[in-house]
Amino acid sequence: MHLAYPAVLAALLFCTGLYGVLARRNAILVLMSVELMLNAVNLNLVAFDVWLRDTLHSGQALTLFTIAIAAAEIGIGLAIVLAVHRNSGSSAVDRLRDTAESDGTGDTSRTGDAETDGHLATPGHTKNAEATS
């Protein structure tokens, strides 16, 4: 068996998965793209195992380990996506990032507040009042 055929197929699968991770907005499609990338790695492991004629079959053993890790990853990933979808109503990756950056009020520009400077501002006692007196 020529090594080039499975290596080219694995490279195409990996590039397709990488494009899916970088271009998709839906979290489920991103998880599917990660699975494509893992399957490309599995194909390379088995192909090199056959090509090298390894007596221990290390490539096949690593492939089984990778399949087990991928199954756990997809189970946890889908659980997280379902929980986020229940809370926010969307599984778009961009909206997940916006949810993590905001504090729930929608106002993320809280720099320069009196609360962040270590004391609470009271009426009549602000920085401007101190500077003018």
Side-chain angles (χ1 to χ4, degrees), residues 9 25 38 50-51 57-59 66 69 75 77 80-81 85-86 93 98 105 121 124 130:
L9 181 61
R25 301 285 183 226
L38 287 172
V50 170
W51 185 63
H57 299 293
S58 307
T66 306
I69 295 296
I80 291 171
V81 168
H85 182 69
R86 260 191 222 138
V93 177
D98 294 340
T105 61
E130 291 176 354

Side-chain angles (χ1 to χ4, degrees), residues 63-126:
T63 298
L64 289 175
F65 181 71
T66 306
I67 290 171
I69 295 296
E73 174 256 336
I74 201 69
I76 293 171
L78 282 175
I80 291 171
V81 168
L82 286 174
V84 168
H85 182 69
R86 260 191 222 138
N87 290 337
S88 67
S90 174
S91 63
V93 177
D94 291 340
R95 293 187 67 189
L96 296 177
R97 184 177 54 227
D98 294 340
T99 304
E101 291 174 356
S102 67
D103 60 351
T105 61
D107 183 25
T108 58
S109 59
R110 295 195 52 168
T111 58
D113 285 347
E115 295 173 2
T116 59
D117 292 336
H119 66 279
L120 295 174
T122 58
H125 183 66
T126 60

Side-chain angles (χ1 to χ4, degrees), residues 15-90:
C15 289
T16 304
L18 185 65
Y19 173 75
V21 167
L22 296 176
R24 298 292 177 191
R25 301 285 183 226
N26 191 349
I28 295 174
L29 292 177
V30 170
L31 286 174
M32 287 175 56
S33 298
V34 169
E35 290 297 319
L36 269 177
M37 293 168 63
L38 287 172
N39 284 330
V41 170
N42 289 339
L43 181 60
N44 267 334
L45 285 171
V46 170
F48 276 97
D49 182 47
V50 170
W51 185 63
L52 293 174
R53 292 180 172 81
D54 187 16
T55 57
L56 294 176
H57 299 293
S58 307
Q60 293 177 14
L62 283 173
T63 298
L64 289 175
F65 181 71
T66 306
I67 290 171
I69 295 296
E73 174 256 336
I74 201 69
I76 293 171
L78 282 175
I80 291 171
V81 168
L82 286 174
V84 168
H85 182 69
R86 260 191 222 138
N87 290 337
S88 67
S90 174

